[in-house]
Each structure stands twice: as structure tokens, then as C-alpha cells.
């Protein structure tokens, strides 16, 4: 079996945590440790140096943002570690700062994790450097209408492309999904970045910034 990477799983629900660890072990990941609170998680990451941590946002003692707070510390102290935030709630406003890090990070709703193969693929992509936002959240943000919506200039097709970008798909992957050429997708992506007035940079984070524009529009 292919070795996919070393993980730490953090969730206060012991049945969910143990079940997830068992699933990940069967699919080729090495679960090096488990945690049920944020402070314990940070110590385990320091000790084991995993490739990826899977974190429930709401953990003891207050069940508000302990997991997210731990994720911020991990991103600051151990930037090489990938982070997947799992939540039963839409906490995007609080996750914005972490998602803006641009790579090796993801945000999924627990209720949306229904396909094991797709979930494992998501973990693989985060370990390899992708930034992935739950497509259901993107869909919700697309549906939102605000007077000062920075996405108002986007065409329906550009919004569709942006939603697929948020899933972490490459231009080639988007082309296959929409049954168009990769060149057509490249034109749509360029148009999206121009319309959202994203600056030219050497880093490949403009695609993530485009997705974050959805999240910002949610707060207007």
C-alpha cells in the first residue's frame, strides 16, 4: 500500500476521532497521534512533525474556536505542516486568516464528507500543497447577493470556474469538468483575476485570493 503521509487527528468526539484514524490507516496514512484539545494538539505536532493535521474547529474547553486557534499556532510555528479544518458549522469568518495562507490548507464541513475516495483525494492534494474550500460553502457564497459584491462583475461561467478553483482543481481539471478547452479556462481565470483586481505576484496564491473574495463578500 502506498504511504500517503503522517497525520495527527484532533477531535473531542472519541468515536469520530477513532473511526477517522482507522479509516485513514486503512487507506495508507500513518496516524502518529490523536488529540482531544488544542493545547495537546500543538504539543503532538511539535513532537511528531506530521505532514498533515486534521482539526475539529470547536473543541474543549469552550467549544468555540479552540481548534482554529491551534491551527493558527501550527501554521505560524510549523508552516510545513498541512492543515485540514473540519467543522459541523460554517465558521468561515474566523477561518479567513488561516485560509489566506495560500497553500497546504483546507476547510470542509463534516456533513459534506460522504465519499471516502473523494475525502482521501482531498487529503492527498492538501499534503501536496493545494488549498481547498468546501464547494458547498462556495455555492452558498455565490448565491449571496450584496450591493457591494466584488463578484458582481463576473459572468455566470466565470462564477462557475471560480467555484471549481475553490475545490482546488487545476485548469486542466476545470476544463474536463466543464467540457471546454484548457485555453478557454485560462482565459476565464485571467478575466476573473482582472475583474477582482488581484495584483500580479510571483507567488501562486492569486487563485486562493480569488476564492477569498467570495468570503469577503459574505461579510459586506
Amino acid at each position: 500500500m502506498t504511504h500517503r503521509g503522517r497525520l495527527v487527528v484532533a477531535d473531542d468526539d472519541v468515536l469520530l476521532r477513532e473511526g477517522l484514524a482507522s479509516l485513514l490507516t486503512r487507506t495508507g496514512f500513518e496516524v502518529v497521534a490523536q488529540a482531544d484539545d488544542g493545547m495537546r494538539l500543538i504539543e503532538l505536532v511539535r513532537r511528531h512533525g506530521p505532514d498533515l493535521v486534521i482539526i475539529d474547529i470547536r473543541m474543549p474547553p469552550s467549544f468555540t474556536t479552540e481548534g482554529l486557534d491551534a491551527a493558527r499556532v501550527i501554521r505560524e510555528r510549523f508552516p510545513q505542516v498541512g492543515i485540514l479544518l473540519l467543522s459541523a458549522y460554517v465558521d468561515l469568518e474566523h477561518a479567513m486568516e488561516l485560509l489566506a495562507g495560500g497553500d497546504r490548507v483546507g476547510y470542509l464541513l463534516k456533513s459534506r464528507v460522504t465519499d471516502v475516495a473523494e475525502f482521501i483525494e482531498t487529503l492527498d492534494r492538501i499534503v501536496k500543497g493545494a488549498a481547498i474550500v468546501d464547494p458547498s460553502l462556495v455555492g452558498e457564497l455565490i448565491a449571496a447577493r450584496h450591493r457591494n459584491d466584488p463578484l458582481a462583475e463576473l459572468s455566470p461561467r466565470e462564477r462557475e470556474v471560480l467555484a471549481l478553483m475553490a475545490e482546488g482543481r487545476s485548469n486542466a481539471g476545470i476544463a474536463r469538468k466543464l467540457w471546454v478547452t484548457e485555453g478557454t479556462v485560462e482565459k476565464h481565470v485571467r478575466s476573473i483575476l482582472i475583474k477582482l483586481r488581484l495584483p500580479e505576484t510571483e507567488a501562486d496564491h492569486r487563485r486562493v485570493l480569488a476564492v477569498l473574495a467570495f468570503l469577503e463578500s459574505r461579510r459586506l
Side-chain angles (χ1 to χ4, degrees):
M1 180 182 296
T2 301
H3 183 266
R4 287 190 150 99
R6 304 169 72 251
L7 304 182
V8 173
V9 179
D11 197 304
D12 65 285
D13 185 328
V14 64
L15 293 179
L16 189 152
R17 189 177 71 242
E18 290 284 355
L20 183 56
S22 177
L23 168 67
L24 294 171
T25 299
R26 293 198 308 271
T27 53
F29 287 99
E30 180 187 357
V31 179
V32 296
Q34 299 180 36
D36 59 5
D37 66 68
M39 293 301 294
R40 174 70 172 158
L41 170 61
I42 294 170
E43 169 58 24
L44 290 172
V45 170
R46 185 197 65 77
R47 183 185 307 171
H48 294 283
D51 300 301
L52 177 70
V53 291
I54 300 176
I55 309 172
D56 181 15
I57 287 181
R58 300 189 180 189
M59 291 195 293
S62 70
F63 294 95
T64 53
T65 62
E66 281 82 3
L68 179 60
D69 295 339
R72 289 190 180 118
V73 173
I74 292 168
R75 179 44 54 105
E76 179 181 344
R77 297 183 186 175
F78 314 100
Q80 76 283 3
V81 176
I83 297 171
L84 172 62
L85 296 171
L86 280 178
S87 180
Y89 310 94
V90 179
D91 291 318
L92 256 303
E93 182 174 353
H94 298 104
M96 286 282 291
E97 180 182 344
L98 184 68
L99 290 167
D103 61 352
R104 298 172 68 83
V105 64
Y107 183 106
L108 294 179
L109 291 179
K110 290 182 179 179
S111 61
R112 291 277 301 181
V113 181
T114 58
D115 186 296
V116 171
E118 186 176 307
F119 179 62
I120 297 303
E121 181 187 1
T122 295
L123 298 183
D124 283 337
R125 288 158 64 187
I126 293 173
V127 169
K128 293 175 183 176
I132 298 175
V133 180
D134 194 299
S136 68
L137 301 176
V138 176
E140 180 183 343
L141 292 165
I142 291 175
R145 294 293 184 266
H146 301 281
R147 285 180 302 174
N148 298 320
D149 186 359
L151 312 177
E153 295 182 33
L154 301 186
S155 69
R157 176 60 95 179
E158 288 167 347
R159 288 171 180 262
E160 203 172 2
V161 169
L162 184 49
L164 292 171
M165 288 166 59
E167 294 181 29
R169 295 178 187 267
S170 64
N171 286 355
I174 295 173
R176 288 193 296 271
K177 182 73 173 181
L178 298 181
W179 295 90
V180 298
T181 67
E182 191 170 345
T184 297
V185 174
E186 290 174 357
K187 291 179 182 177
H188 285 313
V189 172
R190 281 198 300 271
S191 178
I192 290 167
L193 298 178
I194 291 171
K195 289 180 178 180
L196 294 182
R197 299 173 180 83
L198 295 175
E200 293 281 356
T201 62
E202 294 182 6
D204 187 26
H205 295 338
R206 297 175 76 207
R207 294 171 73 96
V208 176
L209 293 175
V211 173
L212 293 179
F214 276 123
L215 311 183
E216 288 288 0
S217 72
R218 180 70 167 172
R219 299 160 62 187
L220 294 175

